[in-house]
Amino acid sequence: MTRTRFAPSPTGPLHLGHAWAALVAADHGRMLLRIEDIDQARARPEWEAAIYDDLRWLGLDWPEPVMRQSERMAAYGAALDRLWARGLLYPCSCNRRDILQAAAAPQEGAPLLGPDGVVYPGTCRGASRAGPRPAGVALRLDAAALGNLRWTERGASRGMDGATFRRTIGDPVLARRDMGTSYHLAVVVDDAAQAIDLVTRGEDLAEATPIHVALQGLLGLPTPDYLHHDLVRDAAGKRLAKRDDARSLASYRAAGWTADALIARLRESRIAPD
Ligand code: GLU
């Protein structure tokens, strides 16, 4: 059976958008659960407990044990070590303002936006890659090493060449200074560890897929298939966010909605009911 996953971050209440993501994962295979809690400054045990409650209320289940990213730092470190040993990473000490300023320099043209914000202009690319992997500093992947990438989206073949990657994505951060890993690295290592065949997630993350496919190639991991689904929006067309407590599953539940009615409504329309 196809293995899919639902990978929420325990940084707030699950809202209808999360419910839709979990339903899509469960519709397409055996849904595994992964708690994406690398941001330990924002993750809370009570939000993790609420995730299990909300998913059970929706009638979903998943194999145990649940993977928790905060327990997987050694696996992320090992992947970074392999990339570092091949000279594919470099330390970067730029902060957001440095990046904006360098990207806005007149010779650069208008700053390009990539999946992680402004495309990094490569300021630190010349930093030393010798010696053991440095800690306490951000590490970026040197995208110069990348060739053609291929993957499938809903069964259709997709691709990106290295030059397009460098221009539109740049050198992604694989280890954040404060975390020792990043979303991109953790998701790739864990999708492989959970043997995920089909990654289902919101279309807001589609832009990150070339980064993930590139990392799978460099780390010798299989590339799963991808399916990016539509997002749940409010009546004004704005996508739901964690701070939209009014659209949390718990508040629909408190207002008397049954799980069946909410699921039926979601399948019909991705506009959140009032
Ligand atoms: N943790 C991410 C989120 O909460 C999902 C990551 C993924 O599906 O790749 O939106």
Side-chain angles (χ1 to χ4, degrees):
M1 188 171 186
T2 302
R3 290 160 72 91
T4 60
R5 86 299 196 276
F6 175 55
S9 296
T11 54
L14 291 192
H15 56 59
L16 271 195
H18 295 104
W20 181 232
L23 286 172
V24 172
D27 281 349
H28 285 86
R30 180 69 174 125
M31 180 190 84
L32 282 76
L33 186 57
R34 181 165 76 227
I35 301 294
E36 300 214 321
D37 59 352
I38 53 175
D39 188 350
Q40 282 288 300
R42 290 170 63 221
R44 297 265 179 281
E46 54 274 29
W47 293 129
E48 184 178 330
I51 288 171
Y52 303 134
D53 281 353
D54 284 340
L55 292 178
R56 281 193 203 101
W57 180 72
L58 285 171
L60 297 172
D61 61 35
W62 51 88
E64 298 284 349
V66 168
M67 182 173 278
R68 198 184 282 122
Q69 289 192 322
S70 56
E71 295 167 356
R72 306 237 333 124
M73 295 310 291
Y76 309 143
L80 289 169
D81 281 340
R82 289 177 54 196
L83 298 171
W84 176 261
R86 289 163 61 194
L88 297 171
L89 306 181
Y90 62 86
C92 173
S93 51
C94 294
N95 61 30
R96 248 176 245 271
R97 215 183 47 201
D98 300 333
I99 295 171
L100 254 179
Q101 273 172 1
Q107 72 276 13
E108 300 283 346
L112 248 176
L113 281 183
D116 297 331
V118 173
V119 173
Y120 183 63
T123 319
C124 291
R125 207 174 279 142
S128 170
R129 304 179 190 190
R133 174 167 66 87
V137 63
L139 297 174
R140 287 184 183 272
L141 173 69
D142 187 344
L146 301 176
N148 283 341
L149 305 171
R150 295 225 71 84
W151 68 95
T152 65
E153 169 76 34
R154 293 180 192 254
S157 173
R158 291 291 178 86
M160 184 180 276
D161 61 38
T164 306
F165 190 109
R166 286 186 282 284
R167 188 168 46 79
T168 61
I169 296 176
D171 293 345
V173 172
L174 297 192
R176 287 176 48 170
R177 185 172 56 86
D178 51 341
M179 285 180 194
T181 181
S182 71
Y183 161 66
H184 301 305
L185 184 82
V187 97
V188 163
V189 169
D190 290 347
D191 282 337
Q194 291 188 295
I196 299 303
D197 310 294
L198 175 66
V199 170
T200 64
R201 61 185 174 196
E203 63 194 11
D204 54 329
L205 290 169
E207 278 194 297
T209 302
I211 304 175
H212 301 174
V213 174
L215 285 176
Q216 288 147 7
L218 294 173
L219 292 168
L221 302 172
T223 291
D225 294 333
Y226 287 86
L227 184 165
H228 290 93
H229 57 76
D230 53 349
L231 302 177
V232 178
R233 298 177 186 276
D234 65 18
K238 198 168 72 61
R239 52 180 283 216
L240 302 187
K242 281 263 159 74
R243 53 193 173 278
D244 285 329
D245 279 9
R247 317 287 173 159
S248 71
L249 287 180
S251 63
Y252 284 104
R253 190 161 143 188
W257 281 79
T258 65
D260 283 351
L262 205 54
I263 290 171
R265 165 70 203 230
L266 263 179
R267 291 196 186 286
E268 223 166 81
S269 150
R270 255 69 75 203
I271 299 173
D274 284 326

